[in-house]
Amino acid sequence: MSAAAEAFLLEPRSLVERLCHTVSRLTHRRSVVLALAGVGLVGTFAAMLATGRSGLIGTIMFVPWVALIAAELGPAAGGLAGVAATGLYVAAAETEGLPHDPAALTLRLLPLVAVGVAGGLSSRRISSDALELQSRSALQRAVFDSTVDGICLTDLAGNIVLANKPLQRFAVELGLPLHGTVAERLLALADRTTEPARYRERMEELGHDLAASEDQFELAESGRVYRGYTAPVARKDGTAVGRIWTLREVTADRHLERLRDAFVAAVSHELRTPLTSISGFVELLAEEDELGPAGRKYVDVIRRGNVRLRRIVEDLLLVAQIEANRLELHPGPTDLGELATRIVESALPDASEQGVELLLDVNGSLPLEADATRLEQVLDNLVSNAIKFTPSGGSAMVSAYEERGVLRVDVADNGIGIPHEELGQLFSRFYRASTATRRAIPGTGLGLVIARTIVEGHGGTISLETREGEGTRVRVTLPKSSQDLRSRSLEAAETPA
């Protein structure tokens, strides 16, 4: 990391830390280490000559310098350094007239040579491990700096321990303060955001709460939008050691969202008005006595096309409400059996035209507390899909029943099915299975998204089983009552992994 980055991101080091850092850098230079070892050998030899106590001191005083040489130059040089140190000892001993005992000299020589060789081997192993660790660290750092998000790791107090280059860039662009914890530095932006009070409250909460969080803020003067995420970092035993922070600019995403909302609102309004007019005039036209069989057939085609367009517009509006968290459910006493019966009866003409046998199996009255309009929309989407994706001559079955204290609706068909590898994408917005696109079967890819959101909003679940060429079964499971359901907003359904 550059010095500029450190100025913005890292707390300044104390005098002692800087001194230790300088000493550490010096001791990692080979020339300095070898010079120190040489001075040590000569100095020890000179001390022996000056004190005249080489016999008392022995060769042990040469061990640190032999070890230093071995650490820098390897086992061979370490062994030679041991021999040289022994020679210096012998030279000092001769000046004192000490006897030359071959056994004693050998006992002094061997340990020094062994220290040199062992130190060299250990140093080579350590150096190899250090190089591997350094290479891995450099790779991790490169990956860390290559991300789109600004990322930093802080300690439990909120001080930055590690930060990447994108965060450095964000810090400079936003003009963050030079000192303080992450929360304190970010808090300085409060008055520049579009919601200062909410932003300040969130930053103060993040300053003492380690729980995972996700927030978004917009700068008033530039309109730039950022999304931040935090999560605690813990050891394997669960002990918290710090927190990870990420920051991403999502200005372009927010702009696209606004354009999309404006487009959906405009298109839905512009389409609803003429479709309403078409519906009215089609009904008037159908009442004309002068229409012959051919004319009535044409009117019926217009009516079905108009209904299809209205359904598409309503689906688009509903998805926009879901994504904006503005969809509300208004539960009340409902009979799931009656809903299923009504949906099947209304779908019989389409099934007959498609050549599909549509069957119903309802096990008596099935009361529950739910939003009848939204549940009807769910069943309508599922039954329409079953008819649409079943070739002529096939069949579809709608079953509604109670099982183990919950209510279930199964919509099964023996149609074209869906490839197994596409199951994970079926609840994605605008996704259409390859079996449907190959056969040019019309659709928007929104039905299952809407159905899952509504079902989960009722506290239920929706699942799908399918096999290509054999058919599909969708099962909706609903609780009988949902006490926390009334008028609460629902979130958009996310694509499962």
Side-chain angles (χ1 to χ4, degrees):
M1 182 178 296
S2 67
E6 290 187 352
F8 270 96
L9 297 178
L10 302 180
E11 289 292 329
R13 296 190 182 101
S14 66
L15 178 62
V16 175
E17 289 175 329
R18 292 199 299 270
L19 181 60
C20 292
H21 180 67
T22 301
V23 172
S24 176
R25 290 177 61 185
L26 287 175
T27 55
H28 280 79
R29 293 183 180 180
R30 172 172 290 185
S31 58
V32 174
V33 174
L34 291 178
L36 179 64
V39 171
L41 287 173
V42 174
T44 302
F45 175 66
M48 287 182 175
L49 292 178
T51 60
R53 297 192 175 187
S54 58
L56 179 63
I57 297 175
T59 56
I60 192 171
M61 294 301 294
F62 291 104
V63 169
W65 320 120
V66 172
L68 279 178
I69 294 173
E72 290 298 323
L73 301 179
L80 291 175
V83 173
T86 305
L88 291 175
Y89 167 76
V90 171
E94 284 184 349
T95 61
E96 299 176 31
L98 295 177
H100 293 289
D101 184 355
L105 290 176
T106 302
L107 289 176
R108 296 181 185 277
L109 173 65
L110 290 179
L112 281 177
V113 173
V115 166
V117 174
L121 291 174
S122 298
S123 175
R124 184 171 292 177
R125 174 66 180 274
I126 294 171
S127 297
S128 176
D129 292 344
L131 286 174
E132 182 181 354
L133 181 61
Q134 185 178 7
S135 175
R136 187 180 304 171
S137 177
L139 178 61
Q140 292 173 345
R141 183 74 206 191
V143 173
F144 192 46
D145 288 335
S146 299
T147 62
V148 175
D149 298 335
I151 305 173
C152 73
L153 174 68
T154 66
D155 57 22
L156 292 176
N159 299 310
I160 295 178
V161 176
L162 182 66
N164 69 348
K165 289 183 178 178
L167 188 64
Q168 167 195 346
R169 187 180 70 252
F170 286 142
V172 174
E173 291 175 354
L174 295 173
L176 297 181
L178 298 179
H179 309 297
T181 65
V182 173
E184 291 169 348
R185 299 187 197 198
L186 291 174
L187 189 58
L189 295 176
D191 293 333
R192 295 165 54 191
T193 65
T194 55
E195 300 177 277
R198 186 190 69 84
Y199 180 89
R200 188 175 288 106
E201 181 182 355
R202 286 297 299 135
M203 289 304 108
E204 289 174 353
E205 289 176 1
L206 290 177
H208 57 77
D209 187 1
L210 281 179
S213 67
E214 184 173 358
D215 297 284
Q216 189 167 286
F217 64 92
E218 180 177 355
L219 297 180
E221 70 274 12
S222 62
R224 297 176 71 173
V225 184
Y226 295 86
R227 180 177 294 131
Y229 173 80
T230 71
V233 177
R235 296 191 182 95
K236 290 183 178 181
D237 61 1
T239 304
V241 294
R243 175 190 277 181
I244 193 79
W245 302 68
T246 67
L247 186 66
R248 171 181 292 188
E249 183 172 0
V250 292
T251 306
D253 295 342
R254 173 64 73 85
H255 182 61
L256 288 175
E257 288 175 4
R258 289 169 177 167
L259 288 177
R260 181 200 60 202
D261 292 342
F263 173 77
V264 170
V267 168
S268 61
H269 174 73
E270 295 300 323
L271 286 177
R272 270 179 161 180
T273 302
L275 286 176
T276 301
S277 299
I278 292 172
S279 297
F281 282 110
V282 166
E283 295 303 324
L284 290 174
L285 200 60
E287 295 176 1
E288 292 292 332
D289 296 332
E290 292 81 1
L291 283 176
R296 295 193 180 281
K297 180 179 179 181
Y298 298 152
V299 169
D300 191 50
V301 171
I302 296 172
R303 181 189 291 113
R304 289 200 303 271
N306 185 67
V307 170
R308 181 183 169 198
L309 280 175
R310 288 180 66 89
R311 178 178 293 175
I312 292 173
V313 171
E314 295 300 327
D315 283 352
L316 286 172
L317 280 175
L318 186 56
V319 169
Q321 289 177 347
I322 291 171
E323 292 181 342
N325 296 331
R326 291 197 299 266
L327 179 64
E328 293 185 347
L329 298 179
H330 302 282
T334 306
D335 192 310
L336 189 60
E338 291 182 4
L339 284 181
T341 302
R342 187 159 64 244
I343 291 298
V344 169
E345 288 176 352
S346 64
L348 282 173
D350 288 339
S352 178
E353 183 180 352
Q354 184 82 8
V356 175
E357 183 182 15
L358 183 58
L359 305 173
L360 174 66
D361 180 17
V362 175
N363 187 10
S365 178
L366 300 171
L368 78 161
E369 183 183 357
D371 188 324
T373 302
R374 293 304 184 192
L375 279 189
E376 189 170 351
Q377 194 169 7
V378 171
L379 298 181
D380 183 47
N381 277 330
L382 298 182
V383 173
S384 297
N385 283 347
I387 295 172
K388 187 163 51 177
F389 298 123
T390 301
S392 179
S395 63
M397 166 74 79
V398 179
S399 306
Y401 54 96
E402 181 176 350
E403 183 180 69
R404 298 177 184 176
V406 296
L407 302 182
R408 302 188 192 278
V409 178
D410 292 346
V411 181
D413 64 67
N414 57 1
I416 60 177
I418 301 165
H420 179 74
E421 60 271 15
E422 298 181 21
L423 288 178
Q425 305 179 67
L426 291 180
F427 290 93
S428 304
R429 289 182 287 274
F430 301 107
Y431 182 81
R432 305 199 65 230
S434 59
T435 47
T437 55
R438 285 199 302 266
R439 292 170 173 80
I441 298 174
T444 60
L446 296 175
L448 287 178
V449 176
I450 293 171
R452 188 178 75 167
T453 304
I454 294 174
V455 169
E456 290 181 349
H458 281 83
T461 60
I462 183 170
S463 60
L464 187 146
E465 297 177 3
T466 184
R467 183 169 295 180
E468 187 174 4
E470 296 184 13
T472 302
R473 185 187 72 173
V474 181
R475 169 169 289 180
V476 173
T477 302
L478 296 165
K480 289 184 178 182
S481 63
S482 302
Q483 297 179 357
D484 62 338
L485 179 64
R486 188 172 304 275
S487 299
R488 70 181 180 88
S489 297
L490 302 178
E491 296 183 356
E494 299 293 336
T495 304

